[in-house]
Amino acid sequence: MAGNTSCEPCVMGAWLSLCKIQGTQKYIASRFDPEKLDELITRLKRFMRCKYEDPQQPLAALLSEYGIDFSIMHHFRGAPVQGYICLKPDGTYQMVLTIRGAYVDRFWFTLFHELGHIINGDVVKSKEFVDAEENSETERENNANRFAENALLDAKQYAQFVECGDYGLGKIQAFAQTQNVPPYVVIGRLQKDEKIPH
């Protein structure tokens, strides 16, 4: 974690302990297969467009088919984390996200970002990976960000969309449909890139 991030070691330790305990409570038969990445991305994007009263359980079920033990853990003041990933002893990955900020576009970006850490081999190198709000390992973070951006929105098509400069809701909805994502994903990206105001 970055030195300028406000972190309470005891709170952080407690949060990590809760994640680890949760990781021992579920068995997943499948193992992560990078060859199935495109299939997983397609299914996640389809999932994003569905309406669920409580999406956590169906999302966990979907990710378990790809060797990822997924859950959401409440965040605590003093533990400024967005996600936690580890390679469990049985060869599956555990992915825990918080819902800091409660923005749905941020939640999905974080999920794809953490998936990027798995694909990029960051988790295998460290066995455990904590994604802080500000992480000092910027190269890893930038690579995971790039993976998430490109998985959610095709880079070339997004650049063409931005070049047109028309960010009306109808245009955003039409572009989102070509990317198989909800409009809020495009809106969040445009806000992050400072093309439209928050």
Side-chain angles (χ1 to χ4, degrees):
M1 294 183 62
N4 61 352
T5 303
S6 177
C7 175
E8 295 287 336
C10 290
V11 177
M12 187 67 167
W15 188 84
L16 289 171
S17 293
L18 288 171
C19 291
K20 290 177 183 185
I21 290 167
Q22 191 158 322
T24 64
Q25 296 176 349
K26 198 187 322 178
Y27 172 76
I28 292 179
S30 302
R31 298 295 175 267
F32 186 78
D33 181 357
E35 297 290 319
K36 294 184 176 179
L37 177 62
D38 290 341
E39 177 186 306
L40 173 57
I41 290 172
T42 299
R43 291 188 65 190
L44 284 170
K45 286 174 144 186
R46 191 178 308 134
F47 186 95
M48 292 165 68
R49 295 171 65 93
C50 296
K51 299 223 185 300
Y52 292 94
E53 190 171 315
D54 180 5
Q56 184 173 347
Q57 291 307 318
L59 181 56
L62 189 158
L63 287 167
S64 72
E65 294 178 37
Y66 295 87
I68 299 173
D69 176 3
F70 172 81
S71 59
I72 295 172
M73 181 71 67
H74 184 76
H75 63 277
F76 300 105
R77 186 180 297 123
V81 294
Q82 295 183 24
Y84 166 81
I85 312 175
C86 74
L87 182 59
K88 292 163 67 171
D90 64 3
T92 61
Y93 288 96
Q94 181 187 14
M95 179 191 293
V96 181
L97 299 187
T98 63
I99 47 173
R100 302 180 73 85
Y103 291 105
V104 70
D105 64 304
R106 185 179 296 174
F107 172 83
W108 284 108
F109 182 85
T110 302
L111 190 147
F112 278 84
H113 174 98
E114 302 304 337
L115 186 57
H117 280 307
I118 293 174
I119 290 297
N120 295 338
D122 297 335
V123 184
V124 174
K125 293 172 191 167
S126 63
K127 295 293 187 227
E128 295 179 333
F129 197 83
V130 178
D131 240 327
E133 285 187 333
E134 295 180 36
N135 203 310
S136 59
E137 299 188 62
T138 55
E139 186 177 349
R140 278 202 231 188
E141 292 306 300
N142 288 339
N143 289 339
N145 282 341
R146 201 163 20 259
F147 172 86
E149 289 171 353
N150 295 336
L152 287 164
L153 302 174
D154 179 89
K156 188 179 285 188
Q157 293 174 20
Y158 176 72
Q160 291 170 348
F161 174 72
V162 167
E163 196 175 300
C164 291
D166 184 350
Y167 308 130
L169 185 56
K171 293 287 187 180
I172 288 173
Q173 289 171 328
F175 178 66
Q177 193 163 9
T178 70
Q179 303 299 300
N180 298 312
V181 296
Y184 61 72
V185 171
V186 179
I187 291 170
R189 177 71 178 275
L190 290 169
Q191 289 174 333
K192 184 230 172 221
D193 292 345
E194 299 181 347
K195 302 298 181 185
I196 61 174
H198 284 270

